[in-house]
Amino acid sequence: MKLDIKAGYEKLLITIFFTLAASNLSAQVFDPVAWSFSIKKISQTDSELIFTANIEEGWHLYSQNIPAGGPVATSFKIAKGTGFFLIGKVIEPKSIEVFDKQFNMKINYFSNVAEFRQKVKILSGKPVEMK
């Protein structure tokens, strides 16, 4: 009886290839929102942080103002700094309001693009850094 080692390796390589391909497909992570950040100087001491969400077609981003028991709201965590302090809260643009049957409540969301703004007072004279 003669063993065909070459054929065995080919079957093994094909099996490994399809196993890796299948695991790669199931491990896809969807990231339908691309964020960009900028700073707009308003005065000598005040600036505005601008957070822009570019939302892929067919997807949406929930408002910051979602009732308890609803989907996960958009939120911002801005690290405290010694050279500035926040003025008010993050302002969001006008959202789309719909009744969501899944959550049995009215919810607000954004499509395409949403621009959020946070005013800051600069204390040290140094510009605010975005990371």
Side-chain angles (χ1 to χ4, degrees), residues 31-37 50-61 110-116:
D31 195 10
V33 180
W35 289 92
S36 61
F37 309 96
I50 303 168
F51 313 100
T52 304
N54 289 295
I55 307 158
E56 286 184 15
E57 189 175 330
W59 292 85
H60 58 261
L61 179 69
F110 307 98
S111 291
N112 302 319
V113 175
E115 191 174 270
F116 300 85

Short mmCIF file of all heavy atoms in Angstrom, two decimals, residues 31-37 50-61 110-116:
data_model
loop_
_atom_site.label_atom_id
_atom_site.label_comp_id
_atom_site.label_asym_id
_atom_site.label_seq_id
_atom_site.Cartn_x
_atom_site.Cartn_y
_atom_site.Cartn_z
N ASP A 31 -18.41 48.76 11.89
CA ASP A 31 -18.10 50.08 12.42
C ASP A 31 -18.73 51.10 11.47
O ASP A 31 -18.03 51.74 10.69
CB ASP A 31 -16.58 50.27 12.53
CG ASP A 31 -16.20 51.44 13.39
OD1 ASP A 31 -17.09 52.00 14.08
OD2 ASP A 31 -15.02 51.81 13.40
N PRO A 32 -20.06 51.25 11.55
CA PRO A 32 -20.77 52.08 10.57
C PRO A 32 -20.68 53.59 10.82
O PRO A 32 -21.23 54.36 10.04
CB PRO A 32 -22.21 51.59 10.70
CG PRO A 32 -22.32 51.14 12.10
CD PRO A 32 -20.97 50.56 12.45
N VAL A 33 -20.01 54.01 11.88
CA VAL A 33 -19.88 55.43 12.16
C VAL A 33 -18.41 55.81 12.22
O VAL A 33 -17.64 55.23 12.98
CB VAL A 33 -20.57 55.81 13.50
CG1 VAL A 33 -20.41 57.30 13.77
CG2 VAL A 33 -22.03 55.41 13.50
N ALA A 34 -18.02 56.77 11.38
CA ALA A 34 -16.65 57.28 11.38
C ALA A 34 -16.66 58.66 12.04
O ALA A 34 -17.41 59.54 11.63
CB ALA A 34 -16.11 57.39 9.95
N TRP A 35 -15.84 58.82 13.07
CA TRP A 35 -15.80 60.07 13.83
C TRP A 35 -14.61 60.93 13.41
O TRP A 35 -13.53 60.41 13.16
CB TRP A 35 -15.67 59.78 15.32
CG TRP A 35 -16.92 59.23 15.93
CD1 TRP A 35 -17.24 57.91 16.07
CD2 TRP A 35 -18.02 59.97 16.47
NE1 TRP A 35 -18.47 57.79 16.67
CE2 TRP A 35 -18.97 59.04 16.93
CE3 TRP A 35 -18.28 61.33 16.60
CZ2 TRP A 35 -20.17 59.43 17.51
CZ3 TRP A 35 -19.47 61.71 17.19
CH2 TRP A 35 -20.40 60.77 17.64
N SER A 36 -14.83 62.23 13.37
CA SER A 36 -13.73 63.19 13.19
C SER A 36 -13.91 64.30 14.22
O SER A 36 -15.02 64.52 14.73
CB SER A 36 -13.71 63.75 11.76
OG SER A 36 -14.90 64.44 11.47
N PHE A 37 -12.80 64.95 14.56
CA PHE A 37 -12.80 65.94 15.62
C PHE A 37 -12.09 67.21 15.17
O PHE A 37 -11.10 67.14 14.46
CB PHE A 37 -12.09 65.38 16.86
CG PHE A 37 -12.61 64.04 17.28
CD1 PHE A 37 -11.97 62.88 16.87
CD2 PHE A 37 -13.73 63.93 18.07
CE1 PHE A 37 -12.44 61.63 17.25
CE2 PHE A 37 -14.22 62.69 18.45
CZ PHE A 37 -13.57 61.54 18.03
N ILE A 50 -15.74 70.14 18.26
CA ILE A 50 -16.72 69.67 17.29
C ILE A 50 -16.46 68.19 17.02
O ILE A 50 -15.36 67.81 16.61
CB ILE A 50 -16.66 70.48 15.99
CG1 ILE A 50 -16.88 71.97 16.30
CG2 ILE A 50 -17.69 69.96 14.98
CD1 ILE A 50 -16.57 72.89 15.15
N PHE A 51 -17.47 67.37 17.27
CA PHE A 51 -17.41 65.92 17.07
C PHE A 51 -18.35 65.59 15.93
O PHE A 51 -19.57 65.72 16.07
CB PHE A 51 -17.84 65.16 18.32
CG PHE A 51 -17.21 65.67 19.59
CD1 PHE A 51 -17.91 66.51 20.44
CD2 PHE A 51 -15.93 65.31 19.93
CE1 PHE A 51 -17.34 66.98 21.61
CE2 PHE A 51 -15.34 65.77 21.11
CZ PHE A 51 -16.05 66.61 21.94
N THR A 52 -17.82 65.16 14.79
CA THR A 52 -18.64 64.88 13.62
C THR A 52 -18.73 63.37 13.39
O THR A 52 -17.71 62.70 13.29
CB THR A 52 -18.07 65.57 12.36
OG1 THR A 52 -17.94 66.96 12.63
CG2 THR A 52 -18.97 65.35 11.16
N ALA A 53 -19.97 62.88 13.32
CA ALA A 53 -20.22 61.46 13.06
C ALA A 53 -20.70 61.31 11.63
O ALA A 53 -21.74 61.85 11.26
CB ALA A 53 -21.28 60.93 14.03
N ASN A 54 -19.93 60.61 10.81
CA ASN A 54 -20.34 60.27 9.45
C ASN A 54 -20.90 58.85 9.50
O ASN A 54 -20.17 57.90 9.78
CB ASN A 54 -19.17 60.36 8.47
CG ASN A 54 -18.77 61.80 8.24
OD1 ASN A 54 -19.55 62.57 7.70
ND2 ASN A 54 -17.59 62.18 8.69
N ILE A 55 -22.20 58.74 9.23
CA ILE A 55 -22.94 57.50 9.45
C ILE A 55 -23.21 56.83 8.10
O ILE A 55 -23.76 57.47 7.19
CB ILE A 55 -24.27 57.79 10.18
CG1 ILE A 55 -23.97 58.60 11.46
CG2 ILE A 55 -25.02 56.51 10.49
CD1 ILE A 55 -25.16 59.39 11.98
N GLU A 56 -22.83 55.56 7.98
CA GLU A 56 -23.04 54.83 6.73
C GLU A 56 -24.53 54.72 6.41
O GLU A 56 -25.37 54.67 7.31
CB GLU A 56 -22.45 53.43 6.82
CG GLU A 56 -20.94 53.40 6.76
CD GLU A 56 -20.39 51.98 6.75
OE1 GLU A 56 -21.16 51.02 6.50
OE2 GLU A 56 -19.20 51.83 7.02
N GLU A 57 -24.83 54.66 5.12
CA GLU A 57 -26.21 54.52 4.67
C GLU A 57 -26.83 53.25 5.25
O GLU A 57 -26.18 52.20 5.31
CB GLU A 57 -26.25 54.47 3.13
CG GLU A 57 -27.64 54.54 2.58
CD GLU A 57 -27.66 54.62 1.07
OE1 GLU A 57 -26.71 55.17 0.48
OE2 GLU A 57 -28.62 54.12 0.48
N GLY A 58 -28.07 53.36 5.69
CA GLY A 58 -28.77 52.21 6.26
C GLY A 58 -28.56 52.06 7.77
O GLY A 58 -29.15 51.21 8.40
N TRP A 59 -27.70 52.88 8.34
CA TRP A 59 -27.42 52.85 9.78
C TRP A 59 -27.87 54.16 10.39
O TRP A 59 -28.09 55.15 9.69
CB TRP A 59 -25.92 52.66 10.03
CG TRP A 59 -25.42 51.32 9.63
CD1 TRP A 59 -25.02 50.93 8.38
CD2 TRP A 59 -25.28 50.17 10.46
NE1 TRP A 59 -24.63 49.63 8.39
CE2 TRP A 59 -24.78 49.13 9.66
CE3 TRP A 59 -25.51 49.93 11.80
CZ2 TRP A 59 -24.51 47.87 10.15
CZ3 TRP A 59 -25.25 48.66 12.31
CH2 TRP A 59 -24.76 47.65 11.49
N HIS A 60 -27.97 54.19 11.72
CA HIS A 60 -28.23 55.45 12.40
C HIS A 60 -27.54 55.46 13.75
O HIS A 60 -27.10 54.43 14.25
CB HIS A 60 -29.73 55.74 12.51
CG HIS A 60 -30.52 54.69 13.22
ND1 HIS A 60 -31.23 53.73 12.56
CD2 HIS A 60 -30.71 54.45 14.54
CE1 HIS A 60 -31.83 52.94 13.43
NE2 HIS A 60 -31.53 53.35 14.64
N LEU A 61 -27.46 56.65 14.32
CA LEU A 61 -26.80 56.87 15.60
C LEU A 61 -27.84 57.44 16.54
O LEU A 61 -28.52 58.42 16.21
CB LEU A 61 -25.66 57.87 15.41
CG LEU A 61 -24.84 58.27 16.62
CD1 LEU A 61 -23.99 57.09 17.10
CD2 LEU A 61 -23.95 59.46 16.29
N PHE A 110 -29.98 59.92 14.44
CA PHE A 110 -29.40 60.69 13.35
C PHE A 110 -29.05 59.75 12.20
O PHE A 110 -28.70 58.60 12.42
CB PHE A 110 -28.11 61.39 13.81
CG PHE A 110 -28.31 62.22 15.04
CD1 PHE A 110 -27.97 61.71 16.29
CD2 PHE A 110 -28.86 63.48 14.97
CE1 PHE A 110 -28.16 62.46 17.43
CE2 PHE A 110 -29.06 64.23 16.12
CZ PHE A 110 -28.71 63.71 17.35
N SER A 111 -29.16 60.27 10.99
CA SER A 111 -28.74 59.55 9.78
C SER A 111 -27.72 60.40 9.03
O SER A 111 -27.72 61.63 9.17
CB SER A 111 -29.95 59.29 8.87
OG SER A 111 -30.81 58.37 9.45
N ASN A 112 -26.90 59.76 8.25
CA ASN A 112 -25.89 60.41 7.39
C ASN A 112 -24.79 61.12 8.17
O ASN A 112 -23.70 60.62 8.27
CB ASN A 112 -26.54 61.35 6.37
CG ASN A 112 -27.54 60.64 5.50
OD1 ASN A 112 -27.32 59.53 5.07
ND2 ASN A 112 -28.67 61.27 5.27
N VAL A 113 -25.08 62.32 8.71
CA VAL A 113 -24.06 63.09 9.44
C VAL A 113 -24.70 63.73 10.66
O VAL A 113 -25.83 64.21 10.60
CB VAL A 113 -23.47 64.21 8.55
CG1 VAL A 113 -22.50 65.09 9.34
CG2 VAL A 113 -22.76 63.64 7.34
N ALA A 114 -23.98 63.73 11.76
CA ALA A 114 -24.42 64.43 12.97
C ALA A 114 -23.21 65.15 13.56
O ALA A 114 -22.14 64.57 13.68
CB ALA A 114 -25.00 63.46 13.99
N GLU A 115 -23.40 66.43 13.89
CA GLU A 115 -22.30 67.22 14.43
C GLU A 115 -22.65 67.66 15.85
O GLU A 115 -23.60 68.39 16.08
CB GLU A 115 -22.07 68.44 13.54
CG GLU A 115 -20.80 69.18 13.85
CD GLU A 115 -20.55 70.29 12.85
OE1 GLU A 115 -19.89 70.01 11.83
OE2 GLU A 115 -21.03 71.41 13.08
N PHE A 116 -21.87 67.20 16.81
CA PHE A 116 -22.06 67.51 18.22
C PHE A 116 -21.03 68.57 18.61
O PHE A 116 -19.90 68.56 18.12
CB PHE A 116 -21.86 66.26 19.07
CG PHE A 116 -22.82 65.15 18.75
CD1 PHE A 116 -22.55 64.26 17.72
CD2 PHE A 116 -23.98 64.99 19.47
CE1 PHE A 116 -23.43 63.23 17.41
CE2 PHE A 116 -24.88 63.96 19.18
CZ PHE A 116 -24.60 63.08 18.14
#
